[in-house]
Amino acid sequence: ALEGHTHGVRCCVVFAGGTRVISGSWDKTLKVWDLATGKELYTLEGHTAGVRCCAVFPGSTRVISGGDDKTLKVWDLPMSKPDI
């Protein structure tokens, strides 16, 4: 199990390479996880209400999230591996 959010998880998406996943939560954050190790790699903060949905741009390190704060946010993740 991947544990780290302080409230329920509402969405998750696996990156194209199958080695990482991003999750969005009621705790207003998104987290990027390494599926092989189970370790949390990044926490993305910026929503002022729970995260409702997230998606990964194909073939990139860019993520978009939608929140109950009525905003969409675009994130450029600092990951260098092409197999994300």
Side-chain angles (χ1 to χ4, degrees):
L2 305 174
E3 297 179 10
H5 285 291
T6 58
H7 292 288
V9 174
R10 295 184 79 182
C11 59
C12 62
V13 178
V14 176
F15 284 85
T19 61
R20 306 222 173 126
V21 64
I22 188 163
S23 57
S25 170
W26 285 99
D27 67 8
K28 309 175 196 172
T29 69
L30 295 108
K31 292 184 181 287
V32 178
W33 308 87
D34 183 305
L35 288 173
T37 65
K39 292 188 179 194
E40 178 186 321
L41 301 175
Y42 306 105
T43 297
L44 307 175
E45 299 176 315
H47 283 286
T48 59
V51 176
R52 182 172 288 275
C53 58
C54 59
V56 177
F57 285 71
S60 78
T61 59
R62 183 172 276 188
V63 172
I64 189 166
S65 60
D68 286 330
D69 57 4
K70 303 177 187 173
T71 67
L72 290 172
K73 297 201 178 293
V74 178
W75 311 85
D76 289 308
L77 303 179
M79 295 188 285
S80 59
K81 285 188 167 185
D83 65 341
I84 58 165

